[in-house]
């Protein structure tokens, strides 16, 4: 109370509804805003040509082959979306226990990066760093005695990072949750002459059931042996997220991310309040699918819930949001 001497008047002199009475006051007193500058669109890639394949568990999202990619991504560029995040679906025959296809300079994500850089030089490209699209066991790193081996995985991730930077990826986003990976990736990038390539760390990534539809989208659900709880965070923890973020910042992260989004708004708020650094949320596949399913049933109104859910991230302190709703949200924001 003492801290806010001017905002604690009492009724009837004070009526908070006055500022809500008209659109123009509501606009003036709004504490947060959402614009297309806040949006990052995750895009799923697929081998072959001429295909846009619907993802059953994510209505409205597709896997696109490279021939369709410029057209697909062009919609985001036209709407003014600053960046997209690329996720490749790797054919089963290219997967092995070491995830070696991650290091092939001609793999799908690298070919996509070269094509997109040439087509849309000003669009930010975010590349996923982790081995799960490439391993036949579906884990984010290499397995030794049935466990994901941290330090050996770091070497592969560092090489994967350089391969993607060489293909034109501007920002590498490690989603693997190995200890020490930001430091390892930063040194590898600097050594290879990519000191301007950014690192967006999935700093606080939880072992979440909300990734289910994404794993279906990439075909890693069928292959995943066990779960990811020995490297992704326990949903019970919050202080630990601050330690993860602190370490990643020390190691050179340019931006940090909390994932999933809506069930972890408290983590976003703590991260932003503690570190005051560029902070992002990933509104993950399960969050998208829940909303989309209810919208498609007519149980939720898309004209309100999509932007309301995204505004929650801004209110919690996010600079931006990775969201499968990016195109829909940008379209709605344009319409006003
Ligand atoms: C894996 C990865 C996952 C997502 C992004 N990168 C899933 C997982 O950790 O199993 C999830 C994204 C989503 O659910 O939308 N490196």
């Amino acid at each position: 109370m003492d801290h806010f001497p001017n905002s604690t008047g009492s009724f009837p002199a004070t009526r908070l509804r006055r500022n809500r009475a008209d659109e123009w006051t509501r606009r003036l007193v709004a504490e947060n805003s959402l614009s297309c500058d806040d949006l990052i669109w995750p895009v799923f890639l697929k081998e072959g040509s001429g295909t846009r394949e619907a993802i059953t568990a994510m209505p409205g999202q597709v896997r696109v082959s490279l021939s369709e990619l410029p057209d697909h991504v062009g919609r985001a560029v036209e709407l003014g979306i600053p960046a997209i995040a690329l996720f490749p679906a790797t054919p089963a025959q290219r997967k092995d226990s070491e995830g070696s296809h991650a290091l092939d300079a001609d793999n799908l994500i690298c070919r996509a990066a070269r094509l997109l850089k040439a087509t849309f030089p000003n669009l930010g490209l975010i590349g996923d760093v982790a081995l799960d699209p490439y391993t036949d066991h579906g884990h984010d790193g290499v397995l030794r005695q049935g466990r994901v081996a941290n330090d050996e995985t770091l070497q592969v991730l560092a090489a994967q990072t350089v391969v993607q930077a060489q293909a034109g990826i501007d920002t590498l986003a490690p989603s693997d949750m190995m200890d020490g990976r930001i430091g390892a990736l930063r040194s590898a990038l600097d050594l290879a002459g990519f000191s301007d390539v950014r690192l967006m760390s999935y700093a606080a990534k939880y072992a979440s059931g909300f990734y289910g539809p994404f794993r279906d989208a990439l075909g890693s659900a069928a292959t995943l042996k066990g779960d990811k709880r020995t490297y992704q965070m326990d949903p019970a923890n919050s202080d630990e997220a601050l330690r993860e973020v602190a370490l990643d910042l020390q190691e050179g992260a340019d931006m940090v991310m909390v994932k999933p989004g809506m069930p972890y708004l408290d983590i976003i708020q703590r991260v932003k309040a503690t570190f005051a650094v560029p902070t992002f949320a990933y509104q993950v596949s399960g969050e998208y699918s829940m909303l989309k399913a209810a919208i498609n049933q007519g149980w939720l109104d898309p004209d309100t819930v999509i932007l309301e859910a995204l505004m929650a991230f801004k209110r919690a302190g996010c600079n931006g949001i990775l969201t499968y709703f990016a195109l829909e949200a940008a379209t709605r924001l344009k319409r006003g």
Side-chain angles (χ1 to χ4, degrees), residues 45-47 88-101 108 131-138 217-220 222-223:
L45 307 168
K46 171 179 193 312
E47 293 283 3
T90 310
Q93 68 272 19
R94 293 261 163 77
K95 298 187 184 188
D96 61 24
S97 63
E98 301 295 296
S100 52
H101 193 54
L108 187 53
L131 298 183
D132 57 304
Y134 310 100
T135 51
D136 54 16
H137 45 71
L218 290 192
S220 51
T223 45

Side-chain angles (χ1 to χ4, degrees), residues 123-252:
L123 176 70
L125 298 181
I126 301 176
D128 185 47
V129 179
L131 298 183
D132 57 304
Y134 310 100
T135 51
D136 54 16
H137 45 71
H139 281 289
D140 291 28
V142 296
L143 293 181
R144 300 290 179 255
Q145 282 97 42
R147 287 235 155 192
V148 174
N150 195 87
D151 300 11
E152 259 184 86
T153 297
L154 290 185
Q155 292 175 20
V156 190
L157 297 179
Q160 181 186 24
T161 294
V162 172
V163 165
Q164 289 190 34
Q166 282 164 343
I169 295 280
D170 313 286
T171 299
L172 276 306
S175 63
D176 57 290
M177 287 303 278
M178 295 305 110
D179 284 323
R181 88 264 212 212
I182 296 298
L185 303 197
R186 187 69 269 159
S187 335
L189 284 171
D190 289 355
L191 204 65
F194 293 109
S195 57
D196 286 339
V197 168
R198 276 132 278 185
L199 289 175
M200 173 187 275
S201 174
Y202 286 67
K205 175 170 177 179
Y206 287 85
S208 171
F210 289 99
Y211 308 148
F214 175 96
R215 292 179 191 167
D216 282 338
L218 290 192
S220 51
T223 45
L224 181 61
K225 297 191 172 64
D227 59 51
K228 301 190 176 183
R229 286 183 293 179
T230 68
Y231 46 107
Q232 298 180 347
M233 282 182 59
D234 182 347
N237 296 352
S238 169
D239 290 343
E240 190 188 354
L242 300 185
R243 295 185 75 192
E244 284 284 3
V245 170
L247 286 167
D248 286 358
L249 291 172
Q250 270 164 23
E251 292 173 30

Side-chain angles (χ1 to χ4, degrees), residues 40-46 50-55 58-81 83-88 112 115-116 119-120 123 125 217 288 323-328 330-331:
I40 298 170
W41 188 34
V43 170
F44 295 109
L45 307 168
K46 171 179 193 312
T51 48
R52 283 174 200 249
E53 196 172 64
I55 300 168
M58 301 178 71
Q61 301 300 308
V62 291
R63 295 178 205 93
V64 287
S65 58
L66 294 192
S67 58
E68 310 302 296
L69 193 60
D71 179 56
H72 187 62
V73 169
R75 291 155 62 210
V77 174
E78 264 164 46
L79 286 162
I81 290 172
I84 62 169
L86 297 170
F87 293 100
L115 172 64
L116 290 172
T119 319
F120 307 111
L123 176 70
L125 298 181
Y288 171 82
T323 174
Y324 301 98
F325 284 115
L327 291 193
E328 250 180 288
T331 307

